[in-house]
Amino acid sequence: MNGTIGCNCSIADDKFCHITSFEVKGYDLSGRLPPDLANLTYVQTIDFTRNNLYGTIPVEWASMKNLSFISLTANRLSRNIPGYLGNFTGLTYLNLESNQFSGVVPPELGKLASLKTLILSSNKLVGTLPEALAQIKNLTDFRVSDNNLNGTVPEFIGSWTQLRRLGLCATGLQGPIPRAIFLLEKLKDLRITDTSGPEFPLQENGSLNCLTNLCLVVRVLRKINLNGTIPDEAWSVVTTLDLTFNKLVGELPLDKTRRQFTFLSGNMLTGTVPELFIQNNQYL
């Protein structure tokens, strides 16, 4: 459990200390989110992670001009994600993961020009990812895994040039994976899994970039209809490479080494398993 109320006695030109953060995590709190927090006009952070709260996000919070961080992970919030979140113009961090939100991703979120982190994973969201999200130019972390979306993986994700982490695991979206995503130069953590659609090889569509870019340390491309052989570039130094449950063929190189974890199950590979893979149980 973690409960913290942060104060700042020099944030305003008066003689008072003002609450700047309200963090109550893992207390099993029940009830609805309190709209009265809007009276704390200097609050920058609201964090109710791992509680038992239900309902939705109070519209009153939009009046909090200093509010930049909202985390409501692992609660029982439900109904549609409210479109009026687009009025929370100071937000840089929004995490609604592991709730019961349904309906579509509201296009109004595209108004959050300062947003750097948007996490919507593990809800019951449907529909396509709205084109309006392309307006968020500063995103560094976007995760929408474990939902019931439809349509294809949108091209506009490739326009988020600041992106460092992307999670599209079991979203319901279909491939092919847009080439522009594989060309994002700042990505460190790329996880795309369980997309249907046309087959494509690692050697084409720009996907080699995600294998050779040394900024990337986690590369999960599981069950996304990859075919062809695994190129030599795939064995560059990374932490994790997961290419499981695709349609890859060919042999594993005998003279390449890797660090940490490699997962290749569920393909159609042939030939001899290199001794390195047998001796090191981190290779699966």
Side-chain angles (χ1 to χ4, degrees):
M1 296 187 296
N2 185 10
T4 304
I5 295 178
C7 296
N8 189 323
C9 299
S10 60
I11 198 170
D13 294 329
D14 55 32
K15 298 179 180 180
F16 301 100
C17 291
H18 296 277
I19 295 175
T20 56
S21 64
F22 197 92
E23 302 178 38
V24 183
K25 299 188 287 186
Y27 275 85
D28 201 27
L29 294 177
S30 60
R32 298 179 181 273
L33 292 169
D36 292 345
L37 281 182
N39 296 327
L40 304 174
T41 56
Y42 290 95
V43 166
Q44 301 168 358
T45 297
I46 295 177
D47 192 341
F48 284 104
T49 295
R50 299 189 307 278
N51 283 290
N52 200 28
L53 299 167
Y54 61 89
T56 192
I57 303 169
V59 65
E60 289 85 356
W61 289 6
S63 65
M64 304 169 73
K65 302 302 182 184
N66 294 294
L67 185 60
S68 62
F69 184 107
I70 296 177
S71 179
L72 303 172
T73 304
N75 281 279
R76 292 194 298 123
L77 301 173
S78 60
R79 297 183 283 180
N80 291 357
I81 295 176
Y84 54 70
L85 282 178
N87 298 326
F88 292 39
T89 54
L91 282 186
T92 61
Y93 185 100
L94 178 61
N95 190 340
L96 305 181
E97 185 175 17
S98 297
N99 280 282
Q100 299 172 23
F101 286 111
S102 56
V104 301
V105 177
E108 290 86 351
L109 294 183
K111 298 178 183 179
L112 301 176
S114 299
L115 203 62
K116 293 184 177 181
T117 297
L118 177 59
I119 305 175
L120 305 175
S121 299
S122 300
N123 281 284
K124 301 176 181 178
L125 300 173
V126 299
T128 61
L129 291 176
E131 191 73 26
L133 295 181
Q135 302 171 42
I136 312 176
K137 300 298 185 183
N138 295 316
L139 269 183
T140 60
D141 187 348
F142 179 72
R143 286 173 262 169
V144 70
S145 299
D146 187 24
N147 278 289
N148 300 309
L149 302 173
N150 55 47
T152 58
V153 177
E155 291 276 355
F156 65 73
I157 294 178
S159 70
W160 292 336
T161 57
Q162 303 305 308
L163 205 61
R164 295 177 180 270
R165 180 169 183 176
L166 177 62
L168 298 176
C169 299
T171 60
L173 296 171
Q174 296 184 344
I177 310 304
R179 180 176 183 269
I181 291 178
F182 291 117
L183 297 176
L184 290 169
E185 295 183 353
K186 295 186 178 181
L187 266 181
K188 291 183 177 293
D189 189 322
L190 173 64
R191 303 172 193 240
I192 305 176
T193 75
D194 301 280
T195 61
S196 58
E199 298 179 14
F200 67 97
L202 280 172
Q203 292 93 334
E204 298 177 6
N205 204 35
S207 48
L208 271 183
N209 186 78
C210 80
L211 296 172
T212 58
N213 181 359
L214 294 183
C215 289
L216 263 169
V217 294
V218 176
R219 307 163 189 184
V220 177
L221 301 173
R222 183 174 66 244
K223 200 176 180 181
I224 63 172
N225 275 338
L226 291 174
N227 64 15
T229 60
I230 302 175
D232 287 344
E233 290 84 356
W235 307 104
S236 58
V237 177
V238 292
T239 300
T240 299
L241 178 66
D242 185 344
L243 300 175
T244 53
F245 300 103
N246 285 291
K247 299 176 183 178
L248 298 169
V249 298
E251 299 185 4
L252 300 178
L254 299 176
D255 58 346
K256 301 294 182 181
T257 60
R258 287 185 43 76
R259 295 164 56 184
Q260 302 274 339
F261 304 100
T262 304
F263 303 91
L264 301 171
S265 302
N267 284 285
M268 296 177 285
L269 301 171
T270 57
T272 303
V273 178
E275 188 68 22
L276 176 63
F277 281 58
I278 297 174
Q279 293 174 352
N280 188 342
N281 62 11
Q282 292 177 333
Y283 293 79
L284 301 177

